[in-house]
Amino acid sequence: THVPFSNVYGTVRGFVRGVDLWVGNHVADAPKDTRLDGVVFTSNLFYYSVQDALQRGAVMSSFVSAAIAALVLLVMTRTVVVAFMALVTIIAIVASEVGLLVSWGWTLGPIETIIVSVAVGMSVDFTSHLCHAFIHADPHKLAKEMLGMTSSPPGPGRHLSPSTVRALRARYAADVMGLSLSAGAVSTGSAGAVMLMASTLFFQQFGTFMALCMLLSWLFAFFFLLPLLATFGPGTDSDIMQKWCCQRKRRSCGLCDGDGDAYG
């Protein structure tokens, strides 16, 4: 053909699809006695075959990792809304990472596939810690400490509003986990930055990914996930899984009296 040879996956994929369509149309229109439907066509696009397998494997591993992360977050937080927000945050982090790496000229290869495969696992760390701190915060105790409210136990007509509960929980998560998560981001990101000085391509690329992953994970966790939780997170004890847990353990989660019944 007149199409120049290329190792770029997108370019070769368009060429292969065009050839497959052209061959398929001619085979379908050919007389039956030619028996072209039993002919096998081969090519020398071996690297494209590897790239195609890597691309499908990277996408599949990302979906499987995201599904497992969502399941773990659901079990850990016992709240569908929080688990969903965490999953949205993880997807946003991975999408931003891949988009930036592609804009920097990265193409699909074995190294890039490995990096994409572990992206979800490295992006879930900060998100899961903040969600855990948010959902396990005691809003009434926080109201006494942060807002100077009365120390008497909540009774009928004295429960906190959902917006106040969400704000207190988000503030608690930021206060408790902010320093440790920031230190973790700096230490891991610094390790990735040191790898940029390596002479091996794999270490250079993986170091770039580590530093970028820590930066984006920290930014999305504190400036995307926490505002989401503070705005749309659970503010009452209406979550069935949370009430069920309180009823089993016979203790209060901060929003109910230990029997799954709301204060007030």
Side-chain angles (χ1 to χ4, degrees):
T1 67
H2 65 282
V3 179
F5 179 79
S6 174
N7 279 328
V8 179
Y9 176 74
T11 302
V12 182
R13 181 178 58 179
F15 169 75
V16 171
R17 289 182 175 179
V19 171
D20 287 342
L21 180 62
W22 182 84
V23 172
N25 292 334
H26 282 72
V27 169
D29 296 337
K32 293 184 178 180
D33 55 356
T34 58
R35 297 183 179 180
L36 288 179
D37 55 344
V39 176
V40 177
F41 296 91
T42 62
S43 67
N44 292 323
L45 300 175
F46 302 115
Y47 187 65
Y48 166 76
S49 300
V50 174
Q51 286 181 311
D52 188 58
L54 292 175
Q55 188 267 345
R56 288 185 281 107
V59 173
M60 181 179 297
S61 63
S62 298
F63 277 111
V64 172
S65 300
I68 295 175
L71 179 61
V72 172
L73 288 167
L74 180 61
V75 173
M76 182 179 66
T77 62
R78 305 188 302 274
T79 308
V80 176
V81 175
V82 175
F84 176 75
M85 292 180 183
L87 180 61
V88 170
T89 304
I90 295 171
I91 294 175
I93 294 172
V94 175
S96 300
E97 291 174 6
V98 174
L100 285 174
L101 294 177
V102 171
S103 67
W104 292 345
W106 284 34
T107 57
L108 188 64
I111 298 177
E112 293 79 6
T113 303
I114 296 174
I115 290 175
V116 172
S117 300
V118 302
V120 175
M122 293 191 64
S123 303
V124 74
D125 189 20
F126 299 162
T127 299
S128 60
H129 281 87
L130 286 179
C131 288
H132 184 271
F134 178 89
I135 203 65
H136 286 85
D138 186 340
H140 293 286
K141 181 179 179 181
L142 295 174
K144 299 171 188 176
E145 296 176 353
M146 298 180 180
L147 304 180
M149 294 180 61
T150 177
S151 59
S152 59
R158 303 179 63 180
H159 58 279
L160 298 173
S161 65
S163 59
T164 302
V165 170
R166 288 191 290 264
L168 289 172
R169 283 180 160 178
R171 180 176 175 179
Y172 172 81
D175 289 343
V176 172
M177 303 304 303
L179 181 60
S180 58
L181 294 185
S182 299
V186 171
S187 60
T188 307
S190 300
V194 171
M195 295 174 67
L196 297 177
M197 296 182 289
S199 57
T200 305
L201 177 62
F202 174 79
F203 291 128
Q204 292 178 358
Q205 290 187 318
F206 198 79
T208 301
F209 162 73
M210 284 180 58
L212 180 63
C213 181
M214 290 299 102
L215 175 62
L216 292 178
S217 297
W218 187 87
L219 290 176
F220 272 94
F222 285 96
F223 298 102
F224 180 76
L225 177 62
L226 275 185
L228 273 181
L229 293 174
T231 306
F232 304 106
T236 66
D237 68 331
S238 58
D239 189 281
I240 297 177
M241 299 178 71
Q242 186 76 21
K243 291 173 63 178
W244 175 82
C245 179
C246 291
Q247 291 170 351
R248 279 181 58 88
K249 296 182 179 180
R250 293 296 176 182
R251 64 178 178 82
S252 174
C253 64
L255 294 176
C256 61
D257 57 7
D259 294 323
D261 298 324
Y263 287 123

